[in-house]
Amino acid sequence: PRSITPREAHQLAKAVRCRARSMGVKAVVAVSDAHANPVLCEAEEGAYIASWDIALNKSYTVVALKMSTAELTKLAAPGGELYGIQFTNGGKIVVFGGGEPLEEDGKIVGGLGVSGGSAEQDTALAAYGKQIFKEMCDAE
C-alpha cells in the first residue's frame, strides 16, 4: 500500500507546527507510515520531553487501530469495549486525543500524532493536520 512520503510528512508537520505556535502550544509532531513506522518527529524548542514519545505513540495508535485517538478515548474508558487496551502493544497505545489517521482514496497511508498542549488543543491540531493532508492529496 502507498505510504506517506518523507516530503509529505515534512510539509504536513511544518503546517501543524505553525498552527501550534499560533495557539501558543510547544508541540511535538510525529508522522508514521502506513505500517505505523515513524517517518518524522519534530519538536518545538521548549516542548515537553515526554511529548516526543506521546506524539510517536499517537501516530502508531491511529494506524494500528485505524481510528483517531479521540475516538479511542470513548472505547477505552471504563466500561468501554476496549477498556485496558493502553496496556497492550508494549504500552504504545494512546487513549487520549491528538492522533489522526491520514487517508487517501479511503485507505490509511499514515498517522499523525501531536502532543504538547491540552488534550483539546492536541485534538484540534491533529484534526487540522488531517485536513491539511486531505488538501495536499486533493491538490495532486
Side-chain angles (χ1 to χ4, degrees):
R2 173 176 131 55
S3 280
I4 189 169
T5 67
R7 181 181 87 33
E8 290 170 323
H10 179 72
Q11 187 177 350
L12 176 60
K14 183 177 178 181
V16 173
R17 288 177 59 206
C18 183
R19 174 62 66 99
R21 280 192 300 275
S22 76
M23 295 169 59
V25 175
K26 293 180 180 179
V28 176
V29 178
V31 179
S32 64
D33 66 16
H35 305 285
N37 297 309
V39 173
L40 169 147
C41 192
E42 296 180 349
E44 281 298 309
E45 188 173 330
Y48 295 116
I49 293 168
S51 292
W52 185 273
D53 283 343
I54 295 168
L56 281 168
N57 288 342
K58 287 177 182 181
S59 74
Y60 169 85
T61 299
V62 298
V63 175
L65 296 177
K66 301 178 182 357
M67 71 177 75
S68 73
T69 57
E71 288 177 71
L72 184 57
T73 299
K74 299 170 198 118
L75 295 171
E81 56 185 84
L82 296 179
Y83 179 65
I85 194 166
Q86 68 270 29
F87 303 113
T88 67
N89 291 266
K92 289 174 66 172
I93 303 295
V94 178
V95 296
F96 47 89
E100 287 286 346
L102 302 171
E103 298 179 3
E104 183 178 60
D105 298 327
K107 294 186 168 62
I108 294 176
V109 298
L112 172 65
V114 182
S115 182
S118 65
E120 184 179 322
Q121 290 169 320
D122 290 353
T123 299
L125 287 165
Y128 171 76
K130 183 175 185 171
Q131 181 59 38
I132 290 293
F133 185 73
K134 181 183 181 313
E135 291 170 10
M136 288 167 50
C137 291
D138 290 348
E140 291 182 357

